[in-house]
Amino acid sequence: SSELTQDPAVSVALGQTVRITCQGDSLRNYQTNWYRQKPGQAPALVMFGDNRPSGIPDRFSGSRSGNTASLTITGAQAEDEADYYCNSRDSTGYHFVFGTGTKVTI
Amino acid sequence: QITLKESGPTLVKPTQTLTLTCSFSGFSLTTNGVGVAWIRQPPGKALEWLALLYWNGEATYSPSLKTRLTVTEDTSTKQVVLSMTNMDPVDTATYYCAHRGDPDAFDFWGQGTVVTVSS
């Protein structure tokens, strides 16, 4: 399958923990990346595999189990309110796919 | 410092061909592992990957749009050009180009350019 499925929306109280999931068969074999997109802005990479790009706070963490990848925000801040998209390669490995997106409300 | 910027028409008519340019700096498209991708986002909808041009000149395209897309590089001007034929109103979207780096992720993005398809 070349689809990556995410929950449409989640809400979390300020300072609490939220986990965003991404499900797809290709995630068993390929790295999952996560992007944060604030209104009117381009997406920004916040996690590749279980690694954070420089400048991304350590409250963001990534993990994977089977065909499901997760992005966890521990101690969510107001500035984390955004749309989050997962991304990986498809089952062939030659193409890329994005998830359906999750709107996180703080 | 890696930067990318998209440019092109804001309005195209149905059946026309869209040509967008991604101007980049801070990296070379001849460096092993590097790529430039095109990604779009219709209003209020999710991101959709369109194409990727690799450092070795190879390109890969979304299977659903493959017959309509071409990605090329102008090495002299450090630009990557996306062409999409037979435009339709459903192709109305913000189009982004992005740098694909060593972690196999899109780690730098342009600001995006809005394209409307309407007669």
Side-chain angles (χ1 to χ4, degrees):
Chain A
S1 170
S2 61
E3 296 179 347
L4 299 179
T5 303
Q6 300 179 239
D7 291 331
V10 296
S11 61
V12 59
L14 188 67
Q16 296 303 301
T17 297
V18 61
R19 188 175 74 169
I20 308 162
T21 61
C22 174
Q23 193 168 28
D25 290 341
S26 66
L27 301 186
R28 298 180 186 275
N29 299 312
Y30 299 104
Q31 174 179 288
T32 305
N33 308 310
W34 292 92
Y35 304 85
R36 175 175 60 187
Q37 186 179 32
K38 298 181 180 181
Q41 297 185 16
L45 181 69
V46 296
M47 192 71 54
F48 55 98
D50 56 1
N51 301 291
R52 289 184 306 276
S54 62
I56 300 301
D58 60 6
R59 64 177 179 270
F60 288 87
S61 62
S63 63
R64 185 189 66 184
S65 177
N67 72 338
T68 301
S70 300
L71 176 71
T72 301
I73 308 174
T74 303
Q77 302 299 303
E79 60 264 31
D80 299 331
E81 185 165 282
D83 294 327
Y84 289 81
Y85 293 93
C86 59
N87 147 251
S88 185
R89 290 183 178 262
D90 71 358
S91 55
T92 71
Y94 290 105
H95 312 119
F96 296 83
V97 290
F98 282 93
T100 50
T102 298
K103 182 177 184 61
V104 173
T105 301
I106 309 293
Chain B
Q1 179 188 2
I2 291 176
T3 65
L4 306 99
K5 186 173 183 179
E6 308 85 353
S7 60
T10 58
L11 178 66
V12 298
K13 290 179 167 46
T15 75
Q16 288 186 334
T17 294
L18 171 69
T19 300
L20 294 176
T21 299
C22 176
S23 302
F24 61 87
S25 64
F27 68 94
S28 171
L29 200 40
T30 61
T31 300
N32 193 17
V34 169
V36 172
W38 285 95
I39 297 149
R40 72 178 179 180
Q41 185 173 37
K45 295 189 177 181
L47 299 168
E48 179 184 17
W49 173 77
L50 301 178
L52 177 66
L53 180 65
Y54 286 100
W55 78 98
N56 59 3
E58 292 187 13
T60 179
Y61 299 99
S62 166
S64 63
L65 295 167
K66 180 179 180 180
T67 60
R68 300 174 54 204
L69 296 173
T70 304
V71 177
T72 57
E73 183 195 10
D74 185 334
T75 55
S76 62
T77 60
K78 299 196 76 170
Q79 295 179 327
V80 173
V81 177
L82 173 75
S83 295
M84 179 180 287
T85 62
N86 194 25
M87 293 292 284
D88 183 272
V90 300
D91 297 313
T92 294
T94 298
Y95 286 75
Y96 298 98
C97 62
H99 172 271
R100 178 262 187 185
D102 181 46
D104 199 27
F106 305 122
D107 49 3
F108 295 92
W109 294 63
Q111 64 190 24
T113 187
V114 177
V115 177
T116 301
V117 184
S118 174
S119 55

